[in-house]
Amino acid sequence: MTGLTTVWRASQRGRDTARRQKPVSGGRALCFRRKLPAPKFQPMSKGVTPRSQDYARWYTDVVQKAELADYGPVKGTMVIRPYGYAIWEALQAAFNRRFKATGHQNAYFPLLIPKSYFSREAAHVKGFAKEVAVVTHYRLINDPDGDGLIVDPEARLEEELIIRPTSETVVWSMYKQWINSYRDLPIKINQWANIVRWEMRTRLFLRTSEFLWQEGHTAHATAAEADEETRQMIEVYREVVEEEMALPVIVGRKTDSERFPGAVETWSIEAMMGDRRALQSGTSHNLGQNFAKAFDVTFRTEDNREELVWAPSWGVSTRLIGAMVMAHGDDKGLRLPPRLAPIQVVVVPIFKDDTRSAVLSAAGKLVTDIAHQGVRVELDDRDNVSPGFKFNHWEMKGVPVRIELGPKDIAEGKAVLVRRDGDGKEDRALQGVAAGLPALLDDIQRSLFRQAEEFRAEHTHVPENWEAFKALMAAGGFARCGWDGDPQTEAAIKADTKATIRCIPLDEDPTGLTCIRTGKPARHEVIFARAY
RNA sequence: CGGGGCGUGGCGCAGUCCGGUAGCGCACCUGCUUUGGGAGCAGGGGGUCGUAGGUUCAAAUCCUAUCGCCCCGACCA
C-alpha cells in the first residue's frame, strides 16, 4: 500500500513543481502586456496528459484511467484489471481458435525449473541469466531476534530453482521422455502462462517483471517441417494482430544481435506506435536442433537411424495490449478495435426525473435490440454522474460506438450516434439503428486499421543517405534501406542513432542497394527504427 | 550499480528553512437542487506525518540510522 503511494507521489512531484514554476515566475506581471504568453503547460485536471506533451506519461495515464491495469506492490509488477483482462481474453480466444485450427493443443508446464536444466543450452543461459528470479529457500520462520518473519536458513534448497523466463528447458526435458520414434512426431503444444524476467526498467504491459503470454513449443522430424511451422506461426500472429487488433505489422527475420537466445532464426512482427517507435509484437523462433542437443532428444527415423529433433517456439504476450493502446489511442483515451472491445456499443440515456422512466424504457428496448444483433452492448443508466461525464468516461475506455438517447430524440424517433474513431455526432432513426451496428462496427475496425496504416506509411521512408537516415531516426519513423550485413555496422548505427534493425522484411530485395552507413553493397534490405 | 529526487488521509500536494500538537484540492458519505460534453450548494467521515532511535517542556519540522519508491544511465517480449 505504501509502495503504491510513493510511486505516484514521487513521480508527480517533479513534474508538477516544474510545471508550476514556469508560469508563476513573473506570470502576474506579464498579464499587463497586450498579449498573454501562453502558459507552457496547461495543467490537466481531468483527462490525460496530451500525447504531444509527454507520450510516455500519456500512455501510463490512459492505461490507468481506462482501468486496464494498475501497479502491483512489487516493483515492476502489474495488476491486470477486469477491463484489461477482458481484452486479453478476447485475444486469447482469437489465438486459440487459430492455434487449434493449425493442429496445436494447449497444455501446462511448471513455473519452477531446476537451475541445472536452465544451464543446458549455452546461448539460452547467456541471454536470460541476468534476469532470472531464483528460489533458494522453501520456508519462513519467526525471527528469533525480533518480530516478523525471516527466511529459515535451515530451509535452503539442495538444488536452487529458477522461475521460468520462458519454458524451452522444461518442455524439452519432457519431450525427451515423450519422443522415441518418428511416429511420436510432430508434437505441437502451446501453453498459456505467466513468466518472470527481472527487468530493470518497467512499463505497464510493455515491459513488466511478470507478464502473461502464450508460448508454443513444437517438435519435428525434419528441418523443413520446423521451418514451415516457424513461418506458419508468424503468419498466424500477423493475421490476428492485423485483423483483430487492426494493427498493421511488418513480418521479417531478426539479425543475429536481436535473435532469441538459443535460436538459429527468429521471425517477428513489428508495429509502429503513435510516437513512431517500433514495437516487437510477436516472435517465432526456429531453434534448429539446439534444444534437442542440450536435452538429448533423439528419435528413430523410418529407416531406423537416430536423429535429433527439430524445434520451433513462438510467443505473444500481454504486451499486445500495450501495442493496441499506443497504436490507436488518442488524447481522449483508448480507441479499441471492435473485434476485441469488451463493450462494442454503449447506450447513454439522458433523462431528468420526469423523463426518467420513459427514457430508460426506450433505452432498455434499444439495448435488447442491439444485443440481438450479436453486439456486445452496455446501458449506462447510472444516475449519480452526468451524461457529459459518461461521454468522457466511455471515450477513455475506447468503446467504439456510443448511442445517446434523450427525450428529444425519442420524440423525434431518433438516436444520436457517435463513432469513437471519428468526431462528430449523427442522428439515426431509432428504428433500424440496431440493425446497422454490425456493419458499422466492421467499418470502424477497417477504419482503425487504415488510420494506423496511413500513419505508418507517412513515417516510413527510404533515406537517400546517412544524413537523411540520421534525421529520420531523430524525428522518429521507420527507415527501409540497405545494410552490409556486418554486425559492427549495425552496432555503430545503434551507437549513433539509438536505432536498431527491427527486421529483414519478408519481401526484402537488396539488389542494387548499398549500405546506408558504409556504402558497401547491401547484403539485406532492412527496417531500422528506434524501438521499445 | 552510478547520478538525481521523494516518502504527510484513498489520490495529488502544502506545511519542514524560522519546532508549539496537521491543512488544501480531488475522491468518499448524507441531503436538496440538477442531468444533451467531466453538475452546484450545504453538511459529514477519514491521517500522528515511511520506520527506528535521539535532542527538547514540546518534533511532520532538528540530528542519526534504516527501509522503500520514482527519474536518468548500462538489459529486454
Side-chain angles (χ1 to χ4, degrees):
Chain A
M1 226 44 192
T2 37
L4 275 181
T5 317
T6 26
V7 169
W8 287 106
R9 197 162 294 134
S11 58
Q12 303 285 50
R13 190 186 203 110
R15 296 194 198 96
D16 284 345
T17 352
R19 194 189 296 158
R20 230 186 357 262
Q21 277 165 358
K22 294 206 172 166
V24 164
S25 58
R28 286 283 136 67
L30 289 172
C31 288
F32 295 103
R33 297 189 179 170
R34 280 185 302 269
K35 283 180 187 171
L36 273 173
K40 235 190 179 120
F41 298 105
Q42 203 65 257
M44 297 283 295
S45 53
K46 290 165 181 173
V48 298
T49 308
R51 289 190 298 174
S52 55
Q53 185 182 311
D54 183 343
Y55 194 82
R57 193 174 167 201
W58 165 83
Y59 173 78
T60 317
D61 284 354
V62 169
V63 168
Q64 289 186 106
K65 292 206 175 183
E67 299 177 317
L68 295 179
D70 210 339
Y71 291 100
V74 174
K75 182 181 159 77
T77 61
M78 80 175 156
V79 176
I80 303 175
R81 303 182 64 177
Y83 195 64
Y85 203 81
I87 295 171
W88 181 236
E89 286 177 319
L91 275 168
Q92 285 184 303
F95 282 116
N96 265 330
R97 193 159 61 241
R98 289 165 176 88
F99 293 165
K100 287 173 185 172
T102 47
H104 300 86
Q105 292 178 298
N106 284 330
Y108 186 78
F109 292 80
L111 172 74
L112 297 172
I113 301 176
K115 197 175 74 180
S116 59
Y117 279 27
F118 178 69
S119 351
R120 298 270 187 95
E121 214 285 329
H124 196 66
V125 174
K126 196 156 172 281
F128 286 112
K130 299 176 293 297
E131 53 187 38
V132 164
V134 186
V135 178
T136 55
H137 291 76
Y138 58 85
R139 190 195 295 148
L140 296 172
I141 52 169
N142 288 317
D143 186 351
D145 300 328
D147 45 10
L149 291 166
I150 58 163
V151 173
D152 183 354
E154 305 289 303
R156 183 164 252 288
L157 288 169
E158 208 141 298
E159 174 166 15
E160 293 171 341
L161 305 173
I162 65 155
I163 299 176
R164 63 178 164 223
T166 175
S167 302
E168 274 76 5
T169 57
V170 228
V171 170
W172 281 85
S173 72
M174 298 311 294
Y175 281 2
K176 177 179 171 55
Q177 298 178 43
W178 298 341
I179 298 170
N180 293 303
S181 151
Y182 72 92
R183 295 179 199 279
D184 299 324
L185 295 173
I187 295 181
K188 295 169 77 168
I189 286 180
N190 173 65
Q191 85 162 339
W192 291 93
N194 58 335
I195 63 175
V196 169
R197 297 179 185 176
W198 215 260
E199 298 289 351
M200 291 177 280
R201 239 161 114 38
T202 58
R203 297 188 61 191
L204 294 171
F205 288 117
L206 300 178
R207 179 165 302 110
T208 46
S209 297
E210 179 189 1
F211 59 89
L212 302 184
W213 78 344
Q214 148 281 311
E215 47 180 326
H217 298 280
T218 62
H220 305 268
T222 65
E225 221 181 90
D227 178 57
E228 193 188 332
E229 166 81 8
T230 309
R231 292 168 187 259
Q232 181 186 39
M233 297 322 287
I234 201 68
E235 172 58 19
V236 164
Y237 289 163
R238 185 203 62 74
E239 186 182 303
V240 171
V241 172
E242 293 198 334
E243 292 180 8
E244 308 283 334
M245 289 178 49
L247 181 55
V249 294
I250 296 172
V251 178
R253 279 173 302 148
K254 287 294 193 181
T255 61
D256 292 4
S257 66
E258 298 272 327
R259 191 179 297 147
F260 176 78
V264 298
E265 188 165 78
T266 288
W267 293 82
S268 78
I269 49 173
E270 301 283 333
M272 184 184 282
M273 301 295 101
D275 61 352
R276 307 173 197 177
R277 287 170 68 181
L279 184 76
Q280 179 174 306
S281 307
T283 48
S284 182
H285 316 289
N286 187 338
L287 307 172
Q289 296 174 306
N290 289 343
F291 284 87
K293 276 179 206 152
F295 287 88
D296 189 32
V297 186
T298 59
F299 69 103
R300 284 287 157 183
T301 62
E302 222 169 326
D303 50 1
N304 200 29
R305 286 177 295 108
E306 185 181 31
E307 284 186 6
L308 287 164
V309 177
W310 298 86
S313 75
W314 30 275
V316 293
S317 71
T318 39
R319 171 181 255 199
L320 287 176
I321 295 173
M324 207 159 49
V325 174
M326 286 201 290
H328 296 314
D330 64 17
D331 286 348
K332 290 194 281 190
L334 286 179
R335 295 194 310 164
L336 294 180
R339 304 279 285 267
L340 297 177
I343 300 168
Q344 296 171 308
V345 175
V346 64
V347 175
V348 178
I350 293 151
F351 52 79
K352 300 185 184 183
D353 275 346
D354 54 333
T355 51
R356 161 192 243 106
S357 64
V359 171
L360 281 182
S361 102
K365 206 178 300 165
L366 177 60
V367 166
T368 309
D369 288 350
I370 295 172
H372 281 148
Q373 296 293 322
V375 169
R376 296 187 287 274
V377 60
E378 179 146 321
L379 173 66
D380 186 352
D381 59 359
R382 289 176 292 176
D383 59 2
N384 58 333
V385 290
S386 67
F389 181 92
K390 293 176 184 177
F391 299 163
N392 289 291
H393 174 80
W394 294 111
E395 279 164 2
M396 180 63 66
K397 291 211 156 200
V399 174
V401 175
R402 179 175 76 243
I403 297 175
E404 307 170 9
L405 189 64
K408 295 176 209 161
D409 303 309
I410 294 170
E412 297 167 37
K414 66 175 182 67
V416 176
L417 187 144
V418 187
R419 292 171 61 133
R420 182 63 179 86
D421 66 332
D423 36 35
K425 307 183 175 190
E426 45 186 297
D427 289 347
R428 289 288 169 94
L430 205 43
Q431 308 289 331
V433 64
L437 286 173
L440 178 66
L441 290 168
D442 281 349
D443 192 55
I444 293 173
Q445 182 83 24
R446 280 192 299 274
S447 139
L448 284 175
F449 182 85
R450 200 168 51 242
Q451 287 178 37
E453 200 175 33
E454 280 166 10
F455 182 83
R456 186 182 68 178
E458 268 170 48
H459 301 293
T460 300
H461 301 285
V462 180
E464 297 281 319
N465 52 45
W466 177 239
E467 288 308 313
F469 177 88
K470 279 199 293 190
L472 174 57
M473 291 302 102
F478 286 6
R480 189 163 180 135
C481 58
W483 168 55
D484 61 16
D486 185 343
Q488 287 184 9
T489 306
E490 190 184 6
I493 291 173
K494 183 177 183 182
D496 287 346
T497 64
K498 292 181 185 162
T500 50
I501 298 179
R502 300 322 304 151
C503 69
I504 303 163
L506 192 53
D507 60 355
E508 66 150 340
D509 180 11
T511 345
L513 289 180
T514 55
C515 175
I516 190 66
R517 182 171 166 107
T518 62
K520 294 180 193 164
R523 183 126 162 223
H524 289 294
E525 185 182 20
V526 298
I527 305 290
F528 271 100
R530 288 188 184 170
Y532 274 97

